[in-house]
């Protein structure tokens, strides 16, 4: 048996349906913001479903942006699941740390999910990995630069 424990372990931190997510907050070195999903009243046609839109709830460190509900929906879809590239044996600290690269908080089905990008580590000239922790697992883990880029959005990325 030539398989490591890390290879056998599930790579899933959480996997949510983006339709369940009602609120997303992101804070980082550039500032913070929160977007919330709202249902708009349906049209006169009783059979048509109510439309949902994302609204900017609060923000700090950014100019006032008019966000694109479509761009926020696409972003929420990409952050609705987090998979690790590798696990560490370091335990989850859960501490509030101002030196975090980013902190993502989701509310889905009335439950809170968090992902903290603790630090950035250069592996080589062209490769970076990010040490993370989540309230959904007792261990810290790494995610790829691509996955971290999906998390670390600014309001400009989500603007109309």
């Amino acid at each position: 048996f030539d398989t490591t424990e890390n290879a056998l372990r599930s790579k899933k931190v959480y996997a949510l349906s983006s339709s369940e997510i009602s609120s997303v907050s992101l804070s980082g070195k550039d500032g913070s913001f929160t977007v919330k999903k709202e249902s708009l009243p349906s049209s006169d046609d009783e059979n048509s479903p109510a439309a949902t839109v994302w609204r900017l709830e609060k923000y700090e460190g950014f100019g006032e942006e008019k966000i694109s509900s479509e761009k926020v929906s696409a972003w929420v879809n990409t952050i609705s699941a987090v998979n690790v590239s590798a696990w560490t044996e370091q335990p989850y600290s859960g501490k509030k740390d101002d030196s975090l690269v980013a902190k993502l908080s989701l509310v889905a089905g009335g439950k809170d999910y968090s992902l903290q990008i603790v630090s950035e580590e250069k592996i080589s000239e062209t490769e970076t990995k990010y040490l993370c922790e989540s309230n959904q697992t007792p261990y810290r883990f790494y995610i790829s630069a691509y996955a971290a880029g999906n998390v670390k959005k600014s309001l400009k990325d989500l603007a109309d």
Side-chain angles (χ1 to χ4, degrees):
F1 229 114
D2 245 3
T3 307
T4 65
E5 180 182 350
N6 199 35
L8 294 172
R9 203 169 178 185
S10 169
K11 301 287 187 198
K12 186 185 317 179
V13 176
Y14 62 79
L16 307 167
S17 165
S18 59
S19 64
E20 292 179 329
I21 298 173
S22 58
S23 172
V24 180
S25 297
L26 180 66
S27 58
K29 302 211 184 309
D30 297 332
S32 63
F33 64 89
T34 299
V35 291
K36 291 199 173 190
K37 189 188 295 183
E38 289 182 8
S39 291
L40 296 178
S42 58
S43 63
D44 294 336
D45 181 2
E46 295 170 12
N47 296 328
S48 67
T52 57
V53 295
W54 288 94
R55 301 245 189 251
L56 184 59
E57 188 78 5
K58 51 185 164 180
Y59 58 93
E60 290 175 22
F62 296 100
E64 186 169 355
E65 302 282 345
K66 181 168 175 12
I67 62 168
S68 161
S69 197
E70 291 80 23
K71 287 180 181 178
V72 174
S73 291
W75 176 57
V76 168
N77 201 35
T78 63
I79 61 173
S80 63
V82 172
N83 293 306
V84 307
S85 57
W87 291 99
T88 74
E89 294 306 314
Q90 299 173 31
Y92 170 68
S93 71
K95 66 180 179 174
K96 308 278 187 262
D97 189 343
D98 291 338
S99 69
L100 292 174
V101 174
K103 179 173 182 177
L104 178 72
S105 301
L106 308 171
V107 176
K111 187 175 176 185
D112 293 324
Y113 296 82
S114 72
L115 173 69
Q116 297 183 131
I117 301 178
V118 177
S119 64
E120 180 179 317
E121 298 178 20
K122 274 264 193 231
I123 300 170
S124 68
E125 283 285 321
T126 58
E127 194 176 358
T128 304
K129 64 181 181 179
Y130 291 82
L131 180 65
C132 299
E133 57 186 30
S134 171
N135 65 348
Q136 299 302 302
T137 179
Y139 296 103
R140 286 181 165 189
F141 52 90
Y142 290 101
I143 61 173
S144 68
Y146 176 78
N150 284 338
V151 171
K152 301 183 311 173
K153 294 290 184 190
S154 77
L155 278 179
K156 285 186 170 73
D157 297 328
L158 304 173
D160 231 348

